[in-house]
């Protein structure tokens, strides 16, 4: 049994150099939106969903990115609508959102 | 195939309230130690190991904690010796370090 059914990590990294980073695409704000929405839906907690921030996930070329473990599904997203789709399709119904998927390789 | 064979997340959270957090146990420093060591061993990168920082993993009662995905192994650690053991046994040789294990439940 998994401690969290879906453990979601948003890259919220930024660099002082000004190099392109997920944070420049409002990753922290969108992660907060996801966290609030998951909580309001009663989906947060043990055996359910955890929405975490993380440092650079090293997939900058696809950013902004998130990864869902333990199934290891990588997504790029642009806005709240994309997050809504990931929540509804993947986190609630267990179906991968193909259009936002990043290959594992 | 996994993008990272082992994706390690250290909780490096701290709270302004002064409540007990992983960061009070030098989580950031120990995570930096792990990252440097993994790099020096030539184990970092795609198909290998990624050492990430993360916000609160919500297992504060066990802290300081880290989790290794996609296998979802949760560990508590105290010092660099514990990290050395996790690197050598788990990340290199694929054996769980039982004495540092936290139950998934």
């Amino acid at each position: 049994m998994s401690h969290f059914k879906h453990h979601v990590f948003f890259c919220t990294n930024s660099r002082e150099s000004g190099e392109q980073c997920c944070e420049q695409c409002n990753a922290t704000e969108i992660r907060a939106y996801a966290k609030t929405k998951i909580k309001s839906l009663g989906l947060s907690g043990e055996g359910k969903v955890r929405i975490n921030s993380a440092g650079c996930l090293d997939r900058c070329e696809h950013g902004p990115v998130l990864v869902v473990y333990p199934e290891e599904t990588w997504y790029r997203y642009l806005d709240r609508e994309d997050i809504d789709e990931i929540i509804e399709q993947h986190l609630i119904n267990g179906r991968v959102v193909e259009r936002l998927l990043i290959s594992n390789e």
Side-chain angles (χ1 to χ4, degrees), chain A:
Chain A
M1 185 196 156
S2 290
H3 185 72
F4 298 117
K5 185 173 180 190
H6 301 292
H7 199 166
V8 182
F9 294 89
F10 279 76
C11 176
T12 57
N13 196 47
S14 61
R15 289 194 181 88
E16 285 178 9
S17 64
E19 221 178 318
Q20 183 66 35
C21 271
C22 292
E23 186 53 25
Q24 289 169 308
C25 300
N26 301 317
T28 294
E29 183 195 318
I30 293 183
R31 180 249 171 188
Y33 169 76
K35 187 168 183 171
T36 300
K37 182 157 183 174
I38 286 293
K39 200 168 180 178
S40 73
L41 290 168
L43 297 175
S44 64
E46 287 185 29
K48 296 189 277 186
V49 178
R50 177 81 184 164
I51 304 287
N52 260 110
S53 58
C56 177
L57 296 176
D58 203 22
R59 304 208 70 180
C60 313
E61 73 279 20
H62 298 291
V65 300
L66 60 84
V67 59
V68 189
Y69 280 114
E71 60 268 51
E72 202 206 341
T73 307
W74 289 86
Y75 289 119
R76 68 174 61 80
Y77 63 88
L78 281 181
D79 50 29
R80 294 179 177 206
E81 286 69 31
D82 288 348
I83 297 302
D84 288 342
E85 196 170 336
I86 290 168
I87 290 174
E88 181 153 334
Q89 273 208 44
H90 186 131
L91 303 181
I92 297 178
N93 291 310
R95 293 195 307 267
V96 168
V97 183
E98 297 286 347
R99 74 174 187 86
L100 301 175
L101 199 62
I102 306 170
S103 163
N104 279 0
E105 293 176 27

